[in-house]
Amino acid sequence: MALAGKGRGASHSHSHYEEDISAMAGPSSETTPLLGRSSSPETMEGKRTTQYLGAVTVCLSAMAVGSTMGWTSAADSLKNKTHDFHITEEEFAWVGAFLSIGAIFGAIPLGFLANVIGRKMVIIALAPAMTAGYLLLAFANSLAMLYVARFILGAVTGAYCVVAPMYTAEISENSIRGVLGSYFQLLITSGILFVYALNACGVSLMAINITCACIPVVMGVLVFFFYDTPVWYLSKGRSEDARKSLQFFRGTDNVENELTAIQEGIEERKRSKVKFTEAFSTREAKMGLFLALSVMLFQQFSGINAVIFYSKQIFDAAHAGIESNLSTVIVGVCQILATYVSTLMIDRLGRRLLLIFSGAMMALSGALLGVYFYIQETGDASSIGWLPITCMVVFIIVFSLGYGPIPWLYMSEVFSDQIKETAMSIATVVNWVAVFVVTKFYSDLVNSVHTYGTFWIFTIISIIGCFFTFFCVVETKGKDISEVLAELRGRRANSNVVHHEKQANGGERF
C-alpha cells in the first residue's frame, strides 16, 4: 500500500454522507467549503495542538496497517521446517495476498458505516478485530488459520485506509492539511520498520504477532478521548457537539463563522441533491475519479509492495554482503525519515512536482537494481555488492517523498462532497486490488522474466507515471475544493463564481 500503504484533504472540503447513500448528491462544483479557511482571524487566535494530536492518534491505525505489511518479511521463516507446520512458496504467496483480499472487502462499506455511527466509533470498533487477527496469527497451527487471520487483518486494514484519512481531513485546517494528511503514510512506515526491527533483533514470530496485537488496543483507547469530527456531528443535527468539537480542534471558542460555513454547506447539499448516479455523471466527478485511480495504480505498479513485502527475500537473492534482516531495517529507517521529510515539503512544493521527482528517481533506482540482478545472473556481480541496498534505499526514500503519501492525500482533494465517501472507497479498493496483483504474482513474474526483468517492468511503469503526472494531474496544493473542481471541469477557477454559482442539474457532463 504503501502503499500501501495507505490521504487527507482540506478540512473545509470534506463532508460526508447524509442520512443515506441516496442523499449524497448535489451540485458538485459549487458546494460551500465545509470548514473555514485557516487564515481566518478566529483560527489565528487558537492553537493547532489538538489537530496534530488527533491526527497522530488516529493514524496509529496506520502503524497497525504498516505492521501487517512488514509482517510478510518477518514471516519468511514459515517456509522453514523448524515451525510446527511447513508451507510452500506458493502457499506463502497466498498468505501475503490474503491481506489485500481482505482489504478489498473491508474498504467497500466503510463510507456508509462511517456516516451511520461516526468516524470515531468505527475506528474504535475496528481495533478489537485487528487484535483478534494478530492473536490468531500468533497461535496459528495450520495454513487455513493463517489465511483467515490475514483476511481479518486485511479487512481492518482496508477499512482504516478509508476512515482514518476521512477523520484527519475533517479536523484539519487548510494550511496544514498536507502535513496532517501525510501522517497516515508516516505511521505506515513506522509500523513496517517496527516489525523489521523486531525481526532483526531475533524476536520470535509469535512474540512479534502478540506485540503487534497491542497497537490497535492502545490506539482505540486513546481515540476514545477525542471528539468525532464537526462535519459528522452537524450532518446528524448535533450542533452543540459540533461546536465543542470545533472548539477542541481549533483551540479557541471563536468558531461561529466556521461552524456556520459547515452548516451552510450541508444545507446546500440537501437543497440541491440529485440522484446518486447523477452525482457521479458530472465531468468533475469522472475526472477526479480518473486521476485518483491513476495515481493509485502508478503507486502500486511501481513495485513498492513487492519491495516491502519481500525485502528480506530480495536481499537474500542479491547476496549483497549485508545480513538481510539488517538490510530491511536500514530500508525501514530510510523510509520513515523520508516520509517525515515529505510532511515538511508537501505543502510547499506541491503534489505534481513531488510525484514527478518521485517517479523519475524510482525509475532510475529500479533500472539499476535490474542491472545488478542481470549482471548477477549472467556473470559476476560481487564487485558491486553495494548496489542492491543503495538502490533499495533510494527507491524507498523517493517513494516516501512522493508516491507514498500523495495518492492518499490526492484522492481526498479531488472529490466533491456528494461522492467523497463512495469515491474514496472505490479508490481504496482499486489500490488494494493492485496490491494483490503485485504481491501475489511477484514470484510468478520473477520466474517468468527473472528478477531483473521484473524490476525493469516496474521502471517502465514509473516512467509512464511521470509523463502522466506532467500532462494530466491537476495541482491541488493550497486550493479550495471548489477551485479544484473548477479545474477538473476544464475552466479557470474563479473564487466568486465557483463558490456561489448554482447548477440545478448537478454539474457539467462529458
Side-chain angles (χ1 to χ4, degrees):
M1 232 199 104
L3 275 188
K6 261 127 199 176
R8 334 353 121 189
S11 57
H12 64 272
S13 68
H14 297 274
S15 67
H16 301 280
Y17 282 48
E18 294 304 312
E19 297 305 317
D20 52 41
I21 292 181
S22 64
M24 281 182 51
S28 57
S29 61
E30 60 279 9
T31 304
T32 303
L34 288 187
L35 296 182
R37 294 178 180 272
S38 60
S39 58
S40 65
E42 63 191 37
T43 300
M44 298 303 292
E45 294 174 6
K47 297 180 180 179
R48 295 168 174 168
T49 304
T50 47
Q51 292 180 60
Y52 285 102
L53 289 176
V56 170
T57 300
V58 168
C59 287
L60 285 175
S61 63
M63 185 173 182
V65 169
S67 68
T68 66
M69 296 173 179
W71 181 88
T72 314
S73 281
D76 190 51
S77 58
L78 287 173
K79 293 182 290 185
N80 301 328
K81 295 185 178 181
T82 55
H83 285 267
D84 294 336
F85 62 99
H86 172 66
I87 63 177
T88 65
E89 189 75 41
E90 177 66 17
E91 290 168 339
F92 186 74
W94 276 108
V95 171
F98 260 95
L99 179 74
S100 50
I101 295 174
I104 294 169
F105 286 92
I108 293 174
L110 252 293
F112 177 75
L113 188 60
N115 177 65
V116 174
I117 67 175
R119 290 72 160 124
K120 170 184 172 179
M121 290 310 300
V122 168
I123 292 169
I124 293 174
L126 290 172
M130 178 160 274
T131 297
Y134 265 116
L135 292 178
L136 191 59
L137 276 183
F139 299 101
N141 55 19
S142 68
L143 182 62
M145 288 181 69
L146 289 178
Y147 287 163
V148 172
R150 290 286 285 176
F151 181 87
I152 292 173
L153 290 172
V156 178
T157 291
Y160 276 143
C161 286
V162 176
V163 72
M166 189 184 298
Y167 183 96
T168 305
E170 292 183 353
I171 68 170
S172 304
E173 296 174 27
N174 190 28
S175 61
I176 58 173
R177 73 187 188 197
V179 174
L180 299 190
S182 59
Y183 282 2
F184 191 78
Q185 181 67 21
L186 179 63
L187 269 295
I188 284 179
T189 60
S190 300
I192 294 171
L193 175 60
F194 182 65
V195 173
Y196 283 175
L198 290 177
N199 186 50
C201 291
V203 178
S204 69
L205 186 58
M206 175 178 284
I208 290 175
N209 289 325
I210 293 174
T211 303
C212 290
C214 298
I215 298 175
V217 174
V218 173
M219 183 269 302
V221 171
L222 292 177
V223 170
F224 180 80
F225 294 99
F226 286 82
Y227 283 95
D228 211 317
T229 72
V231 174
W232 183 76
Y233 283 132
L234 281 179
S235 72
K236 298 302 177 184
R238 297 167 59 176
S239 57
E240 188 57 34
D241 287 331
R243 178 178 288 103
K244 292 178 180 178
S245 174
L246 206 54
Q247 290 171 342
F248 176 77
F249 286 115
R250 297 297 180 265
T252 177
D253 292 336
N254 187 18
V255 297
E256 293 307 315
N257 290 342
E258 190 169 2
L259 196 66
T260 299
I262 301 173
Q263 186 64 57
E264 288 177 351
I266 292 174
E267 291 175 356
E268 175 62 26
R269 279 198 329 281
K270 288 181 178 180
R271 288 194 299 268
S272 54
K273 61 186 177 183
V274 295
K275 293 181 180 179
F276 178 73
T277 54
E278 191 174 351
F280 264 99
S281 68
T282 63
R283 177 182 176 86
E284 54 267 33
K286 293 178 180 179
M287 285 298 298
L289 193 61
F290 170 69
L291 293 178
L293 296 186
S294 296
V295 294
M296 284 293 192
L297 290 174
F298 282 120
Q299 179 198 66
Q300 290 307 319
F301 289 117
S302 68
I304 183 59
N305 274 313
V307 172
I308 291 175
F309 279 48
Y310 299 106
S311 56
K312 182 178 182 299
Q313 295 91 314
I314 291 172
F315 280 120
D316 284 337
H319 305 296
I322 302 176
E323 204 276 322
S324 58
N325 285 331
L326 176 60
S327 297
T328 59
V329 171
I330 294 173
V331 168
V333 170
C334 292
Q335 184 178 24
I336 193 171
L337 290 176
T339 304
Y340 174 72
V341 171
S342 75
T343 68
L344 307 176
M345 301 170 61
I346 200 167
D347 276 330
R348 298 181 182 180
L349 300 181
R351 289 46 162 161
R352 294 178 73 252
L353 180 60
L354 286 175
L355 284 176
I356 292 172
F357 173 76
S358 177
M361 293 303 295
M362 286 162 59
L364 177 61
S365 55
L368 291 176
L369 194 57
V371 168
Y372 172 84
F373 281 111
Y374 179 80
I375 295 174
Q376 182 193 57
E377 187 164 324
T378 59
D380 183 11
S382 58
S383 60
I384 52 173
W386 51 270
L387 187 59
I389 190 169
T390 302
C391 291
M392 291 273 282
V393 167
V394 172
F395 188 96
I396 289 292
I397 287 176
V398 295
F399 174 85
S400 301
L401 287 174
Y403 267 102
I406 289 177
W408 298 102
L409 169 62
Y410 196 76
M411 76 170 180
S412 69
E413 295 182 315
V414 295
F415 297 131
S416 65
D417 304 320
Q418 294 79 20
I419 66 170
K420 191 173 296 295
E421 294 87 347
T422 301
M424 288 178 68
S425 293
I426 292 172
T428 302
V429 168
V430 168
N431 185 281
W432 281 103
V433 169
V435 173
F436 169 76
V437 171
V438 172
T439 55
K440 173 61 183 71
F441 298 105
Y442 170 77
S443 297
D444 294 333
L445 197 58
V446 169
N447 291 334
S448 299
V449 298
H450 306 280
T451 305
Y452 61 83
T454 301
F455 277 97
W456 286 342
I457 290 175
F458 293 151
T459 295
I460 293 172
I461 293 173
S462 293
I463 293 173
I464 295 173
C466 290
F467 284 100
F468 176 85
T469 301
F470 182 81
F471 289 106
C472 300
V473 171
V474 172
E475 180 59 72
T476 58
K477 172 192 145 185
K479 296 177 182 176
D480 296 336
I481 182 62
S482 48
E483 295 173 310
V484 173
L485 293 176
E487 290 196 38
L488 292 176
R489 289 198 308 274
R491 67 171 64 167
R492 184 180 299 277
N494 180 296
S495 58
N496 292 327
V497 174
V498 169
H499 282 266
H500 298 99
E501 69 175 339
K502 300 283 194 295
Q503 292 181 337
N505 64 354
E508 296 181 6
R509 289 163 178 73
F510 279 118

